[in-house]
Amino acid sequence: MSETEKDQDHDKRLLGLKIHFIVYISVNILLFIINFLTGYSVRWHMWALMSWGIAIVLHAAIIILIDIFDNTYDRSLAIHASITIITSAYLIWNDWFEDRRIQWFFFAVVPLALIWLNHFGINKIVKPQFGNSDSRFNHMVLREMENIDPEVKEPNLLARKIVLNRLVFVNHVIIYIAVNSFLFILNILNGLDYAWFLWPAMSWGVNIFFHAIFYFASKKKAFGQKMSIKIFLAYPASISLYLVFVDGFSDGKFNWFWWAVIPIALISLLIVKGRSEKKLQDNNQEVLQTTANSQPVPQYRQPIRAQVQNTSSRKFCAKCGKPTKTGHKFCEYCGFKIN
């Protein structure tokens, strides 16, 4: 990628962050005003302010890390580490904010750390083994190369990337199942009056869903296939469902979830609509450029073109300048002999 293309991508990422931040400020000011006017005994607007604020910080961190790290694997590790640290900080605040005590955050932070260690181990321990022709991972790469188009540049590198992404995702699922099974057993042994194991199972499950989308999208991209813009809706849809679960599971009633779900839905639909329109414009422009050279002369232009061609092949009388008919030896207007 050239420096100009890198600068263009950087400008697009910054523009996306600015739009995200403006929407964040506008919506949270509105929520604060509503909270203040309806009674400020419960500062519920803080939940939206902090949870969405975490997304803003993560968005900014990802943009910074993309600019710092050129290597794809190091960049992914750094982004994953930033997500783990920032999310852990939010969970600690979330645990402390309700009753000013630290109680449960450990059960959420430890799995996040395990997931990052899994990612680190695969990139730093498993990845170097790809150079060993006798290793199991090298055989996985060779099998993956059989599904890649031979005309693709650097098929070995592409196959390695696909295998690494698959290993990270599969290990993530295994850790999720193992840890949540342990928490479920722990919850049963201490009494199942309150099924608190559902909190990590559901919140982490959303993360698993995001990881699955990322894995399959990156695989399609690696093979040169494009993902539908509508797949973007899977992210806000899963977050909205999780918020519905949090609202209903907290006290058995649905109270506030629509305050968060409606803005998420509106913003997502606007983004999808804008990207779809831009994609349509780009496709139309590409079609026009492609057909400009190969498209035949339109019907309404053909008579003019034929007329010009006929005019260029006709002869005129040297004396009076009138057009002469083919085969005539004398001009029918002045009688002058035609050469």
Side-chain angles (χ1 to χ4, degrees):
M1 184 180 290
S2 64
E3 291 297 328
T4 304
E5 291 175 338
K6 288 182 179 180
D7 292 338
Q8 290 176 349
D9 289 343
H10 176 74
D11 292 339
K12 288 179 181 179
R13 288 192 291 267
L14 281 182
L15 178 61
L17 179 61
K18 290 177 182 177
I19 295 173
H20 190 181
F21 184 74
I22 291 171
V23 174
Y24 166 75
I25 293 296
S26 304
V27 172
N28 279 279
I29 289 175
L30 176 63
L31 293 177
F32 170 75
I33 293 172
I34 294 173
N35 193 180
F36 184 78
L37 294 177
T38 56
Y40 204 58
S41 57
V42 178
R43 294 177 293 173
W44 53 261
H45 76 92
M46 289 294 295
W47 294 104
L49 183 69
M50 291 298 295
S51 56
W52 196 348
I54 290 296
I56 289 287
V57 175
L58 286 174
H59 194 164
I62 289 172
I63 291 176
I64 294 171
L65 293 172
I66 287 175
D67 293 335
I68 292 175
F69 293 95
D70 292 329
N71 184 278
T72 304
Y73 302 110
D74 293 338
R75 181 192 302 165
S76 64
L77 271 177
I79 291 174
H80 194 171
S82 67
I83 292 173
T84 301
I85 294 170
I86 295 170
T87 305
S88 298
Y90 169 70
L91 291 171
I92 293 172
W93 172 85
N94 199 352
D95 188 13
W96 174 85
F97 180 76
E98 191 170 353
D99 54 7
R100 301 300 188 270
R101 289 188 301 170
I102 300 295
Q103 301 179 68
W104 52 260
F105 86 92
F106 179 80
F107 293 103
V109 172
V110 170
L112 289 175
L114 289 175
I115 296 168
W116 184 82
L117 288 173
N118 164 58
H119 192 174
F120 177 83
I122 289 176
N123 279 274
K124 298 300 182 181
I125 299 174
V126 176
K127 181 187 168 188
Q129 297 187 35
F130 286 147
N132 184 1
S133 58
D134 296 329
S135 69
R136 174 189 173 191
F137 306 107
N138 192 62
H139 292 308
M140 294 171 65
V141 171
L142 293 175
R143 284 198 301 270
E144 193 64 47
M145 287 181 62
E146 296 176 358
N147 302 321
I148 298 177
D149 189 347
E151 297 182 359
V152 173
K153 294 181 179 179
E154 300 180 337
N156 184 269
L157 185 62
L158 179 58
R160 288 185 180 188
K161 185 176 181 181
I162 293 171
V163 170
L164 279 175
N165 287 339
R166 184 191 304 141
L167 289 173
V168 171
F169 175 64
V170 171
N171 283 11
H172 188 181
V173 173
I174 292 172
I175 294 173
Y176 169 78
I177 295 173
V179 172
N180 281 278
S181 298
F182 169 74
L183 295 178
F184 173 68
I185 294 172
L186 193 64
N187 197 173
I188 291 178
L189 294 177
N190 289 275
L192 203 57
D193 298 334
Y194 180 65
W196 53 262
F197 78 93
L198 286 175
W199 288 107
M202 291 297 294
S203 55
W204 196 349
V206 172
N207 190 276
I208 287 284
F209 181 70
F210 286 172
H211 197 165
I213 295 176
F214 170 78
Y215 166 66
F216 290 109
S218 62
K219 188 172 181 179
K220 276 183 169 289
K221 185 178 179 181
F223 283 108
Q225 301 172 357
K226 293 183 178 180
M227 292 289 289
S228 172
I229 188 63
K230 293 180 181 178
I231 197 66
F232 168 79
L233 293 175
Y235 290 99
S238 59
I239 293 175
S240 299
L241 289 174
Y242 174 69
L243 291 174
V244 172
F245 160 78
V246 171
D247 189 14
F249 190 71
S250 298
D251 56 3
K253 294 185 295 182
F254 296 104
N255 302 302
W256 52 262
F257 77 89
W258 59 278
W259 286 102
V261 170
I262 291 178
I264 289 174
L266 291 175
I267 294 170
S268 303
L269 290 174
L270 287 174
I271 292 174
V272 169
K273 182 180 178 182
R275 290 189 175 184
S276 299
E277 291 178 351
K278 186 178 183 303
K279 185 177 179 181
L280 182 62
Q281 291 176 356
D282 293 341
N283 290 340
N284 290 339
Q285 187 175 4
E286 185 178 351
V287 170
L288 289 174
Q289 291 176 351
T290 304
T291 57
N293 298 326
S294 59
Q295 187 175 6
V297 180
Q299 293 295 326
Y300 65 89
R301 292 185 181 179
Q302 287 182 359
I304 300 175
R305 183 174 179 177
Q307 203 173 43
V308 172
Q309 290 175 344
N310 292 335
T311 303
S312 61
S313 61
R314 293 177 67 178
K315 294 182 179 181
F316 299 85
C317 176
K319 184 177 180 181
C320 66
K322 298 288 184 179
T324 60
K325 294 183 178 180
T326 305
H328 288 203
K329 295 182 178 181
F330 297 92
C331 176
E332 61 183 25
Y333 297 98
C334 66
F336 185 77
K337 185 176 181 182
I338 302 172
N339 296 328

